[in-house]
Amino acid sequence: MLVYVTRRPETVPSLRGAARRRRAVRAYFPPAVRKDAPHSRSDPQRQKMLARKSIIPEEFGLPGLASRLPRKPVFRDRVNKARFIAKNGSCNLAHKNIREQGRFLQDVFTTLVDLKWRFTLVIFTTTFVSSWLLFAMSWWLVAFAHGDLDPERQNGTHCVTHVKSFTSAFLFSIEVQVTIGFGGRMITEQCPTAITVLIMQNIVGLIINAVMLGCIFMKTAQSNRRAETLIFSRHAVIAIRNNNLCFMIRIGDLRKSMIIGAAVRLQVVRKTTTPEGEVIPIHQIDVQTESAVASNSLFLLAPLIICHIIDKSSPLYDLSAMELQCSDLEVIVILEGVVETTGITTQARTSYVSEEIQWGHRFVPIVTEEEGVYSVDYSKFGNTVKVATPRCSARELDEKPSILIQTLQKSELSHQNSLRKRNSTRRNNSIRKGANLRRNNSGLVAPKVQFFTPGDGGQTLNAVT
């Protein structure tokens, strides 16, 4: 007799997580047909065939498992890009393979001013010593040609008295060029050649003095020295101002002498590619500021906040908070003006990369009125505070104004809640202080003392506190 036993198909439990799915497959299927066997990993076609034969369910196949994995948003990492302008204002640019080096010699004065101090001092010293030696050789030749160096000639007329060697000729050259008269050496009227050399040395000496002293003066009075007291905030901020998303920085002047006709320019430098495929490594885009729109100059009496409204014409219009951190842009700030004391035009520069731009921050106020005088606290010059700011781009704010309204409402509610908590804390503290004072005062009250005094009709009870 044959007995047929039908086995009820087991159901595979629905598990969450890749590790729990693998555990369920190992427990349900033999090792020969597991999906995590070594041959199945390297043979996706075998997985599909087993799935079609119903040996491996579709939900545990590679396509099914891959479709269930959560996909995370992928953001492009920011490329480490060199700064175009350093924080101190110097340009990070190297000139290479300049073939026409003679162009620098055509403008000797500017070349000398642009050199470093150690090279300028070396050239200054070398120029004067060389001129003294050159004309010392000329005076020695004049004396040699006239016979003044002959020791047997004692009573003859000399071109230059007491010039009997090259050393004495060198000392006389220094006396002539720097107009030092010791009285021991002097030129006579017997030699026209000596008179001509004297005139030439005076002219050459005046030219050398004018060039070298003018170079030293220009190096000490350079305009970038005045820019050392023009300061910028360490970070730039992006926040809501007058219902607009704005990019803001703070500038200040540490000196009391003002900058006349101060103007601020902003530029965004980034690498772009044209539709034709041309790559522009340093593409400079001008950025408009509120001060530039309202007037042509700034009254830089106290630290000012320079504001740029991020609108449709702004290069920051399509950037959100997350995209800004991944971008490779650089914002260059240029402050120009005329120094009040010297009349020289000066320029101060700095730049901000994406890591130095704080989204959702605002500068703290640093100007206060104390005893009728406005006071500036420069210790808080770069301090910022967090404010409620949408994390989306300015384009999304223009397309969906409700985002800004919701953000402002949440900010107002959080501000009211913080005020309520502060007021309740103050109220509780005042109640506790009052209770402590009453408790302390109650301990200081004198106790009542009762005693009896005899009277006419009996005894009288008196109470004294």
Side-chain angles (χ1 to χ4, degrees):
M1 183 177 64
L2 298 176
V3 179
Y4 293 93
V5 179
T6 59
R7 185 179 180 181
R8 181 177 296 178
E10 299 181 6
T11 59
V12 180
S14 60
L15 301 176
R16 296 182 180 179
R20 301 176 68 181
R21 292 193 187 98
R22 288 195 297 268
R23 204 177 304 133
V25 170
R26 291 193 188 100
Y28 186 79
F29 298 106
V33 294
R34 285 181 189 168
K35 77 177 188 65
D36 56 348
H39 65 273
S40 64
R41 292 181 181 177
S42 60
D43 193 1
Q45 190 68 23
R46 183 179 180 84
Q47 287 281 341
K48 294 182 181 179
M49 294 175 62
L50 293 176
R52 291 174 184 174
K53 295 179 180 179
S54 300
I55 298 177
I56 298 179
E58 289 287 345
E59 57 181 351
F60 290 103
L62 290 178
L65 294 176
S67 62
R68 295 183 183 182
L69 293 177
R71 295 183 179 179
K72 298 180 180 180
V74 179
F75 296 96
R76 180 175 59 89
D77 295 334
R78 182 183 181 273
V79 180
N80 292 329
K81 175 179 171 292
R83 303 178 74 108
F84 186 58
I85 299 294
K87 294 298 290 184
N88 58 358
S90 60
C91 297
N92 187 19
L93 186 65
H95 299 277
K96 296 182 179 180
N97 300 326
I98 300 177
R99 298 180 179 179
E100 299 180 2
Q101 298 287 344
R103 292 180 177 270
F104 295 99
L105 298 178
Q106 296 178 3
D107 188 7
V108 180
F109 186 78
T110 305
T111 304
L112 292 176
V113 173
D114 290 340
L115 290 175
K116 295 182 179 180
W117 270 106
R118 54 179 178 268
F119 299 117
T120 303
L121 294 178
V122 169
I123 294 174
F124 183 87
T125 305
T126 304
T127 303
F128 278 103
V129 173
S130 300
S131 64
W132 296 338
L133 290 173
L134 176 63
F135 284 100
M137 180 61 67
S138 301
W139 290 116
W140 185 83
L141 291 176
V142 169
F144 178 79
H146 194 261
D148 296 344
L149 303 180
D150 189 1
E152 297 180 357
R153 185 180 179 183
Q154 299 293 336
N155 299 325
T157 304
H158 296 77
C159 290
V160 181
T161 59
H162 300 288
V163 175
K164 300 179 180 180
S165 63
F166 183 79
T167 304
S168 58
F170 179 74
L171 294 176
F172 180 72
S173 174
I174 296 176
E175 293 177 11
V176 171
Q177 188 162 338
V178 298
T179 63
I180 298 176
F182 294 110
R185 302 175 185 87
M186 58 178 296
I187 190 172
T188 62
E189 66 275 6
Q190 301 297 327
C191 297
T193 306
I195 298 174
T196 304
V197 174
L198 176 65
I199 295 173
M200 291 178 59
Q201 186 172 4
N202 285 330
I203 295 174
V204 173
L206 289 176
I207 294 175
I208 294 175
N209 289 336
V211 174
M212 299 309 300
L213 294 179
C215 176
I216 298 297
F217 172 76
M218 290 302 298
K219 285 186 71 67
T220 55
Q222 278 184 335
S223 60
N224 55 3
R225 305 300 177 188
R226 180 62 176 88
E228 296 294 333
T229 53
L230 298 175
I231 57 176
F232 300 88
S233 59
R234 183 68 181 176
H235 296 86
V237 297
I238 293 179
I240 297 296
R241 194 179 197 187
N242 297 328
N243 296 328
N244 293 315
L245 195 63
C246 299
F247 173 89
M248 293 173 285
I249 62 170
R250 176 177 276 172
I251 62 174
D253 188 5
L254 300 179
R255 291 187 180 273
K256 291 186 178 180
S257 58
M258 297 179 56
I259 298 295
I260 302 174
V264 176
R265 293 188 292 115
L266 298 182
Q267 284 187 347
V268 173
V269 177
R270 67 197 320 177
K271 181 180 180 180
T272 58
T273 304
T274 61
E276 294 78 14
E278 180 185 1
V279 178
I280 304 176
I282 303 176
H283 186 204
Q284 302 180 14
I285 306 173
D286 291 331
V287 177
Q288 201 76 0
T289 60
E290 285 185 348
S291 59
V293 175
S295 61
N296 294 327
S297 61
L298 296 172
F299 187 57
L300 194 57
L301 180 62
L304 298 177
I305 295 178
I306 305 301
C307 178
H308 160 64
I309 300 176
I310 304 177
D311 52 8
K312 295 181 179 179
S313 60
S314 173
L316 308 177
Y317 187 63
D318 295 325
L319 294 179
S320 62
M322 185 63 68
E323 293 173 349
L324 179 64
Q325 297 299 322
C326 301
S327 62
D328 59 350
L329 61 86
E330 179 180 355
V331 181
I332 298 176
V333 183
I334 304 173
L335 173 60
E336 294 178 334
V338 179
V339 182
E340 184 180 18
T341 54
T342 61
I344 301 176
T345 302
T346 184
Q347 184 183 92
R349 300 177 296 268
T350 190
S351 67
Y352 300 93
V353 294
S354 58
E355 289 86 357
E356 298 170 347
I357 302 175
Q358 296 180 347
W359 192 289
H361 285 71
R362 181 188 300 164
F363 290 109
V364 299
I366 60 175
V367 180
T368 57
E369 186 177 358
E370 299 177 358
E371 299 179 356
V373 178
Y374 288 98
S375 176
V376 180
D377 186 5
Y378 282 98
S379 63
K380 302 178 182 178
F381 182 81
N383 293 359
T384 60
V385 62
K386 287 186 177 181
V387 293
T389 305
R391 307 288 294 179
C392 60
S393 62
R395 178 184 294 275
E396 295 179 9
L397 285 180
D398 292 344
E399 295 175 354
K400 300 177 182 179
S402 60
I403 299 177
L404 178 59
I405 297 174
Q406 294 175 1
T407 304
L408 295 178
Q409 289 177 353
K410 291 179 181 179
S411 175
E412 185 66 23
L413 290 175
S414 62
H415 181 65
Q416 292 178 0
N417 293 334
S418 63
L419 290 178
R420 289 170 186 166
K421 291 181 180 179
R422 192 180 306 169
N423 294 333
S424 62
T425 304
R426 290 179 180 176
R427 192 181 304 109
N428 295 335
N429 292 336
S430 62
I431 292 174
R432 292 174 183 174
K433 289 181 180 180
N436 293 334
L437 289 175
R438 286 195 298 271
R439 189 180 301 110
N440 295 335
N441 293 333
S442 63
L444 298 176
V445 176
K448 292 183 179 181
V449 179
Q450 297 180 358
F451 59 91
F452 295 92
T453 57
D456 297 337
Q459 294 181 349
T460 306
L461 180 63
N462 294 329
V464 178
T465 61

